[in-house]
Amino acid sequence: MENRHAALGLTDQDVLEMYKKILLTRMFDERTWILNRMGKVHFVISGQGQEAAQIGAAWALRPGKDWVLPYYRDLGVVLTLGMTVRELMLMNFAKAGDPNSGGRQMPSHWSHVGLNIFTGSSPVATQLPHATGIAYAAKLRGDDIVVWTSFGDGTANKGDTHEAMNFAGVHQLPVIFFCENNGYAISVPKDLQMAVDDVATRAAGYGFPGVVVDGTDVFEVYRVTKEAVDRALRGEGPTLIEAKVYRFTPHSSDDDDRTYRDPEEVARQREHDPVRKLREYVLAHGILTEEEDQRLKQEFEAEIDAAVEYAEAAPDPDPSDLVRHVFAQ
Amino acid sequence: MAQMTYRDALRQALREEMLRDERVFLMGEDIGAYGGSYAVTKGLLDEFGEKRVRDTPISETAIIGAGVGAAMMGLRPVVEIMTINFMLVALDQVINNAAKMHAMFGGQFNVPMVIRTVGGGRRLAATHSQNLEPLLAHIPGLKVVAPATPYDAKGLLKASIRDEDPVVFIEHSLLFSTKGDVPEDDYVVPIGVSDIKRRGRDVTIVAHSRMTVEALAAAEKLAQQGIEAEVVDLRTLRPLDMGPVLDSVARTNRVVIAGEDWKSFGIGAEVAARIQEEAFDYLDAPVLRVNQAEVPLPYAANLEKLAIPDRDDIVKACLEVLHIQIGSPAAVS
């Protein structure tokens, strides 16, 4: 197997860390489903199958410096940027210590002030104009940052998306629009959503480049995102990146995907599992041994167990705080 | 009469109207193969085909705006906006366009469309659980319907589809699985007619949508204390039919208004204002309102429960307008 990471400036250690993130992301997500089915966690919305796109993109960003406006499937993004398993489990259990919102916001509507992660609303696409606005502020203030925002193919068809991209193009803002195209807006397939093959082609209408990338290939995603970051930092404006991915799970814990897609289609797509792909790569390059991989899984299992135990025992939000945070205090 | 869920009653209304009138068609997100986020349109794609059951992109402005255009050309679009929260981005089409086209054309065009949507919700937090019916009920040119029972859901949806004006039809996410008597045959419940759902002499509870169910449960609890509450279900918020409310107030002299919307500038504010305008002399106590806490609804279960009004809150308000100390034996005759 060809060495693909060295040419991108990635060390073996970098690749090992990327692998750890992809493995942890998958394991955390799987555990959240189990907790949901046990009746302990009310809601899951999942990014299984999309992790390589998330980790490859996040790896090109500077945590705590660049601003990140992810969407609800981006567990891999927030774990790569530095949110911890414990923090995310507090979020799942809606506890007072949840750093996202202290239990006010829905799970997976991520935010973290120290890591510059910005929450979004449940109606989709609203984060795109915010990303444009943050990039506009950065340009006005001369800040040396980029803004990265992500969304699904469904969101690509909202008016907000068009307006945000057009505005960013007009002002040549340092923003990266990252579409994780998994082919379905909940149940509605791509062909009923758009008359073009690639969301990325729309970038031409806004005056900036659009790039299509295989979202199961962590290195390619890293490469194109790094290029977009460099363009933005050089003052050359936005980039639209479309990562082609597939969602292995139903839309959310309230969805049964068998109503709109053939389980065989899902099984076929699982053959391109990005976690397995990266595992094969690190094993082939001697970055990790089978034994070390097993140990890693045990470590993460233990870390997740401990986080669940901690979060379950953690205090709920204080009832006397019900009407707090309506206005600034 | 058949026992049917609110969900099935809505589906039956859609199906019957689509069979009756070939101009009726459906558009919305996930309404086809998926059968709708709340499974209301399940099976309709198979029965009526893609031409009349159309899955759309996530494009609420286009969905509603296209509905306006198609309605003005003589079709009868029934568009589905998955939840009322998702309608906010398209309020320009609802408020500036659907509601005003008839007047802006000097009465020469009608907009006979229905916008079906869903309010309320649990464990979906601030931007996915809202009860925004007051925003829409405020607008001249719109009709706003919010049924509480399967019977009313079917009859009012059929009336809405047959109506010549734009109707916002607000279902409630917690009502879809509730059951009630629904005739299998064709009937309509007229828009703009409130309904007394329970007779009582001591206090009037005015409600709409899911709070009607809570009001009826509250009335049962009050009955155990010898207090007979009358429950008036508004059913339609615009045009608002105050007749049954005023009639009830004239007999009970005491009113509690229950809504899952926020109290300030809400449905209860309008109803209370009309009561004092038209029935001031009948009142023996101030009109009280029971509503959701005025805060973006938190996700955490304990905070959410505190924020959302329930039957116990209604009981408490009824005892208050009856000047009865909570816990003391009832003294109403």
Side-chain angles (χ1 to χ4, degrees), chain B:
Chain B
M1 214 183 287
Q3 278 275 311
M4 196 180 286
T5 63
Y6 188 89
R7 169 185 294 115
D8 290 344
L10 289 165
R11 185 185 311 115
Q12 200 171 80
L14 289 172
R15 185 171 174 274
E16 286 176 14
E17 291 306 296
M18 290 177 83
L19 288 170
R20 188 188 59 80
D21 183 348
E22 63 178 18
R23 297 171 303 168
V24 178
F25 72 102
L26 316 182
M27 278 195 291
E29 295 157 17
D30 304 292
I31 68 166
Y34 197 50
S37 266
Y38 294 93
V40 171
T41 54
K42 219 172 190 64
L44 298 180
L45 173 66
D46 286 342
E47 184 170 359
F48 295 99
E50 278 190 359
K51 214 170 148 185
R52 295 181 72 194
V53 181
R54 175 57 68 185
D55 267 325
T56 64
I58 305 177
S59 304
E60 286 82 6
T61 297
I63 296 167
I64 296 173
V68 170
M72 291 174 70
M73 291 302 110
L75 297 183
R76 298 270 164 171
V78 181
V79 306
E80 176 173 320
I81 299 297
M82 192 184 297
T83 82
I84 199 164
N85 311 278
F86 304 168
M87 194 192 294
L88 294 180
V89 73
L91 280 187
D92 188 38
Q93 284 298 335
V94 180
I95 294 175
N96 275 332
N97 292 274
K100 295 183 175 58
M101 279 296 181
H102 182 73
M104 295 296 102
F105 270 103
Q108 299 174 94
F109 269 103
N110 295 343
V111 185
M113 74 184 292
V114 179
I115 305 172
R116 284 185 48 239
T117 192
V118 177
R122 292 297 180 275
R123 305 307 306 281
L124 292 167
T127 62
H128 208 315
S129 316
Q130 297 176 95
N131 301 87
L132 297 172
E133 53 269 28
L135 293 185
L136 297 154
H138 187 60
I139 307 301
L142 291 181
K143 292 177 179 172
V144 181
V145 175
T149 66
Y151 178 90
D152 288 341
K154 180 178 170 184
L156 277 163
L157 184 52
K158 286 166 72 82
S160 299
I161 293 169
R162 295 178 195 186
D163 201 89
E164 286 298 325
D165 293 309
V167 179
V168 183
F169 191 93
I170 305 174
E171 299 153 18
H172 194 291
S173 65
L174 268 69
L175 290 177
F176 286 112
S177 298
T178 59
K179 283 188 171 171
D181 288 334
V182 178
E184 293 280 358
D185 57 341
D186 182 43
Y187 70 95
V188 296
V189 171
I191 292 173
V193 181
S194 300
D195 183 41
I196 295 178
K197 288 274 194 287
R198 186 187 202 278
R199 289 279 173 185
R201 60 178 185 245
D202 299 322
V203 57
T204 301
I205 309 171
V206 183
H208 69 278
S209 190
R210 194 188 70 88
M211 288 309 280
T212 300
V213 176
E214 289 299 298
L216 289 166
E220 288 299 317
K221 287 192 164 197
L222 289 164
Q224 289 164 16
Q225 301 186 43
I227 299 165
E228 290 301 326
E230 181 146 303
V231 176
V232 185
D233 177 9
L234 297 172
R235 299 198 293 195
T236 300
L237 303 174
R238 188 181 192 97
L240 183 61
D241 172 24
M242 285 297 290
V245 177
L246 298 171
D247 175 63
S248 183
V249 172
R251 286 180 283 106
T252 66
N253 316 112
R254 297 160 202 276
V255 195
V256 168
I257 308 164
E260 223 175 293
D261 54 334
W262 292 295
K263 187 180 285 183
S264 301
F265 308 95
I267 302 300
E270 177 64 24
V271 173
R274 297 219 200 172
I275 290 170
Q276 69 82 22
E277 281 167 2
E278 297 177 47
F280 183 78
D281 289 338
Y282 287 105
L283 289 174
D284 285 347
V287 176
L288 288 190
R289 287 172 288 164
V290 175
N291 291 87
Q292 190 169 137
E294 304 228 357
V295 59
L297 193 64
Y299 174 74
N302 67 331
L303 297 185
E304 184 186 70
K305 190 171 185 324
L306 279 176
I308 294 176
D310 61 18
R311 55 198 65 182
D312 294 330
D313 298 313
I314 298 173
V315 166
K316 213 171 130 195
C318 288
L319 295 177
E320 198 172 331
V321 297
L322 286 158
H323 308 300
I324 295 169
Q325 292 295 313
I326 295 162
S328 73
V332 180
S333 56

Side-chain angles (χ1 to χ4, degrees), chain A residues 189-245:
Chain A
K190 182 202 138 287
D191 289 349
L192 290 177
Q193 297 188 61
M194 59 190 83
V196 291
D197 287 331
D198 302 316
V199 171
T201 57
R202 294 182 180 169
Y206 305 121
F208 52 80
V211 185
V212 178
V213 62
D214 174 0
T216 69
D217 184 337
V218 71
F219 299 125
E220 266 303 281
V221 175
Y222 169 72
R223 187 182 66 78
V224 299
T225 310
K226 185 73 172 57
E227 274 181 26
V229 168
D230 292 342
R231 279 194 73 239
L233 291 175
R234 287 197 303 268
E236 293 171 21
T239 305
L240 169 58
I241 299 170
E242 177 185 10
K244 303 282 194 187
V245 293

Side-chain angles (χ1 to χ4, degrees), chain A residues 52-80:
Chain A
Q54 297 170 1
I55 285 144
W59 202 264
L61 304 170
R62 300 164 300 176
K65 178 155 190 182
D66 296 323
W67 275 88
V68 176
L69 297 85
Y71 86 126
Y72 44 68
R73 300 200 193 283
D74 278 339
L75 178 62
V77 171
V78 299
L79 277 170
T80 302

Side-chain angles (χ1 to χ4, degrees), chain A residues 124-138:
Chain A
V124 297
T126 58
Q127 74 275 24
L128 276 73
H130 300 157
T132 294
I134 294 170
Y136 191 61

